[in-house]
Amino acid sequence: MPEFDKDLQSIQEARLLIASAQKAQAELAEMSQKDIDQIVEHMAKAAFANAEKLAMLAHEETGFGNVEDKIIKNKFASEKVYESIKNMKTVGILNDNEKQKVMEVAVPLGVIAGVIPSTNPTSTVIYKALIAIKARNAIVFSPHPGAKQCILETVKILNKAAIEAGAPAGAIGTLTILSMQGTSELMKHKDVALILATGGGAMVRAAYSSGNPAIGVGPGNGPAFIERTADIEKAVSRIISSKTFDNGVICASEQSVVVEQISESKVIQEFKRQGAYFLNEKESQLLSKFILRSNGTMNPKIVGKTAYSIAQMADITVPDNTTVLISRQTEVSKVNPYAREKLCPILAFYTENDWISACDRCIELLNVEGIGHTLCIHSSDEAVIREFALRKPVSRFLVNTPGALGGIGATTNLSPALTLGCGTVGGSSTSDNITPLNLLNIRRASYGIREKEDIRFTLNQDITFNGQNNIDLNSLNKEISKKEIAQLIEVALQKLAKEEA
């Protein structure tokens, strides 16, 4: 028996997993809400019980972030996500409007392909598995190679719990032989209903070009504007806590700070008081070489590392208790690494004359990268907050809260989620924090309430002619179609011709 190449093995594994998932999903589709809820609850409890173990595995394998915050993320993905969906109706009749005679029925999508990143591997698997099964879908994961073992262990725990609670075998699967060809087969397969893609820009673009429907998450590059009326101490504390949470690997975390000139010195003083280190021009140049690779993508060596360890890489001497590294900037462009996404405790710092120019600067940063994702404002001026909300091209506009935790719904009332849509402006199919409701089709049963003969169009007044025999179309009800207008005109002209004869 010949030994097949790894890419061929990976492709075949993807096909087998999809076939198994399709069979399992057919069984899930026939289950009651009670049965589905029992499975999801059992999965959530198993994930929560193993939160610490999975966090340790993820940190050990990837080297990103820290164990304590990964435990929080795993518990968030299992407990908070579960709490937000446990009473959500996803089976049968969702809504029955007797007055309008329209009934809405939940229909599962089928087999979902779940692409998992290395930055938030175990928590993302927990979250995607819960929302997929809650909507009666099967899911097959494609792990990032750099987080393979911790992802496989997470899938194992969830799959075991699901089967114990009554789920069919194959409802939760994962590739174990990893290759780009295998992932491509998974995403392009005709029996995959939807791709949930979380990862780098190239992976998300591949999902959208696969030929199958996809919900992808682009890069974040969220600015944080500290407006002059903000509580500066709290604003700085929130930004630092967000940027240091799991060492900044959540894509909703802040990437730049924008301040007004009038409050610049107070903000800088407060950042320094809370452990931030402001790089001088030479140090900024040294560090800039470590942020981006030659191809313009983020350097994985700095991802999820502490500010102190990143400074050491660049031969910059900073106190060992440094919270974040901050570089003062004036330029925004794709070639300026400080104006790009940095999944670690590095911040750009921009000073503007007033809130209007600060608003423009934030849009400029988003247009370089992260458009459609997230923006934070710290302010007590509701007029400015509302103006920002009206103008910013983002899906999550966060007010007086840490970006990382606010964006995923931990410190806000946004839907708890680890897949954050960026809207069409950001190249995504939705601007939602993804929930089971995004993984359903809605079948609408609509009763007939009138017959053809009962259809009538009401005119505001009779068709009239002016002195030049032109019909005043402004008098027509706006809902009437062009074809019907033409027919009415023809009848009127025939009537006029008879009268003149």
Side-chain angles (χ1 to χ4, degrees):
M1 197 65 185
E3 177 110 6
F4 290 102
D5 291 341
K6 180 181 176 182
D7 58 338
L8 297 177
Q9 294 179 55
S10 183
I11 290 170
Q12 183 60 26
E13 183 181 39
R15 291 173 179 172
L16 292 172
L17 286 167
I18 293 167
S20 181
Q22 193 175 32
K23 182 180 177 181
Q25 195 278 321
E27 294 184 45
L28 289 173
E30 299 301 319
M31 289 187 172
S32 68
Q33 186 75 69
K34 181 180 178 181
D35 291 339
I36 290 295
D37 289 348
Q38 179 177 301
I39 294 168
V40 172
E41 180 183 10
H42 206 62
M43 289 167 60
K45 286 181 176 179
F48 188 88
N50 286 276
E52 183 173 344
K53 169 189 173 182
L54 295 175
M56 293 175 68
L57 287 174
H59 181 259
E60 181 181 349
E61 185 173 6
T62 67
F64 298 158
N66 59 76
V67 173
E68 293 76 15
D69 290 342
K70 289 189 183 300
I71 293 172
I72 293 172
K73 286 196 295 186
N74 288 340
K75 289 184 175 180
F76 170 83
S78 52
E79 182 181 54
K80 296 303 179 185
V81 169
Y82 171 70
E83 288 294 326
S84 73
I85 68 174
K86 69 176 183 179
N87 295 321
M88 189 180 288
K89 188 164 179 55
T90 57
V91 179
I93 298 171
L94 301 181
N95 181 43
D96 190 0
N97 189 326
E98 293 184 3
K99 183 178 180 181
Q100 296 295 322
K101 294 294 184 183
V102 175
M103 182 171 64
E104 296 180 338
V105 179
V107 181
L109 302 182
V111 177
I112 291 174
V115 181
I116 305 299
S118 58
T119 46
N120 304 291
T122 56
S123 53
T124 303
V125 169
I126 295 166
Y127 154 73
K128 287 187 177 181
L130 290 178
I131 64 172
I133 299 297
K134 177 69 177 182
R136 292 182 295 163
N137 299 301
I139 187 164
V140 177
F141 291 107
S142 173
H144 189 287
K148 176 183 175 181
Q149 296 307 320
C150 64
I151 290 171
L152 295 185
E153 182 62 23
T154 308
V155 172
K156 178 182 175 182
I157 290 167
L158 291 167
N159 188 48
K160 180 175 182 292
I163 290 174
E164 287 175 351
I172 303 171
T174 181
L175 291 169
T176 61
I177 306 169
L178 306 185
S179 73
M180 289 299 296
Q181 293 83 358
T183 298
S184 178
E185 178 68 17
L186 176 63
M187 293 196 294
K188 293 180 178 180
H189 198 283
K190 64 180 179 61
D191 293 328
V192 165
L194 178 78
I195 304 164
L196 271 180
T198 309
M203 181 61 72
V204 172
R205 287 190 295 274
Y208 276 114
S209 62
S210 68
N212 282 325
I215 297 176
V217 178
N221 189 33
F225 173 43
I226 303 178
E227 193 261 341
R228 67 181 67 190
T229 65
D231 183 323
I232 292 175
E233 182 180 352
K234 285 185 178 179
V236 170
S237 175
R238 290 166 182 149
I239 292 169
I240 290 178
S241 68
S242 173
K243 199 60 176 164
T244 56
F245 181 76
D246 209 21
N247 292 340
V249 296
I250 292 181
C251 56
S253 63
E254 299 82 349
Q255 306 299 320
S256 303
V257 174
V258 182
V259 302
E260 295 173 274
Q261 196 164 13
I262 192 172
S263 55
E264 176 191 38
S265 60
K266 290 181 180 178
V267 172
I268 290 174
Q269 183 180 357
E270 186 59 36
F271 264 111
K272 289 180 177 178
R273 192 185 72 80
Q274 295 192 34
Y277 182 88
F278 278 78
L279 303 162
N280 59 36
E281 188 173 344
K282 181 181 178 182
E283 290 168 334
S284 290
Q285 286 292 328
L286 285 171
L287 184 59
S288 68
K289 298 174 183 177
F290 286 85
I291 298 174
L292 297 180
R293 292 184 289 190
S294 58
N295 62 1
T297 61
M298 190 172 13
N299 182 0
K301 291 182 179 179
I302 66 170
V303 173
K305 301 298 189 294
T306 65
Y308 180 74
S309 61
I310 293 170
Q312 283 186 312
M313 290 181 202
D315 290 327
I316 299 171
T317 302
V318 300
D320 57 9
N321 63 346
T322 297
T323 52
V324 293
L325 303 172
I326 300 179
S327 175
R328 301 189 66 164
Q329 295 292 311
T330 57
E331 178 197 357
V332 174
S333 71
K334 283 190 176 294
V335 296
N336 179 1
Y338 291 103
R340 302 281 300 277
E341 183 183 44
K342 307 165 290 293
L343 296 180
C344 61
I346 299 175
L347 287 166
F349 191 92
Y350 294 89
T351 302
E352 304 299 329
N353 291 331
D354 51 36
W355 74 266
I356 295 174
S357 57
C359 179
D360 292 339
R361 178 66 81 185
C362 289
I363 293 175
E364 190 180 6
L365 285 161
L366 290 165
N367 280 330
V368 163
E369 190 171 39
I371 191 167
H373 205 292
T374 303
L375 180 142
C376 298
I377 187 172
H378 299 270
S379 172
S380 60
D381 189 328
E382 287 299 324
V384 172
I385 291 170
R386 288 181 180 274
E387 186 63 26
F388 259 65
L390 288 169
R391 293 186 60 189
K392 291 297 168 293
V394 291
S395 301
R396 276 153 297 280
F397 177 65
L398 307 177
V399 182
N400 297 328
T401 193
L405 298 174
I408 65 173
T411 60
T412 64
N413 283 329
L414 295 176
S415 297
L418 289 168
T419 296
L420 312 179
C422 299
T424 55
V425 69
S428 180
S429 56
T430 180
S431 58
D432 293 346
N433 281 18
I434 306 304
T435 74
L437 297 182
N438 296 97
L439 307 183
L440 287 172
N441 284 322
I442 306 297
R443 177 184 298 131
R444 291 174 176 83
S446 183
Y447 289 72
I449 59 171
R450 63 183 73 86
E451 300 298 334
K452 177 183 176 183
E453 293 76 13
D454 299 324
I455 300 173
R456 294 289 183 268
F457 296 95
T458 304
L459 302 179
N460 294 330
Q461 63 186 60
D462 291 338
I463 296 177
T464 60
F465 295 86
N466 60 25
Q468 299 177 346
N469 287 337
N470 291 327
I471 295 176
D472 180 12
L473 297 181
N474 291 327
S475 65
L476 293 174
N477 186 301
K478 291 182 179 179
E479 293 184 359
I480 201 165
S481 72
K482 292 180 179 180
K483 182 178 179 181
E484 289 154 349
I485 291 173
Q487 291 171 343
L488 288 169
I489 291 172
E490 181 65 25
V491 170
L493 289 173
Q494 290 174 1
K495 182 179 179 181
L496 180 63
K498 288 180 181 179
E499 290 176 353
E500 289 178 348

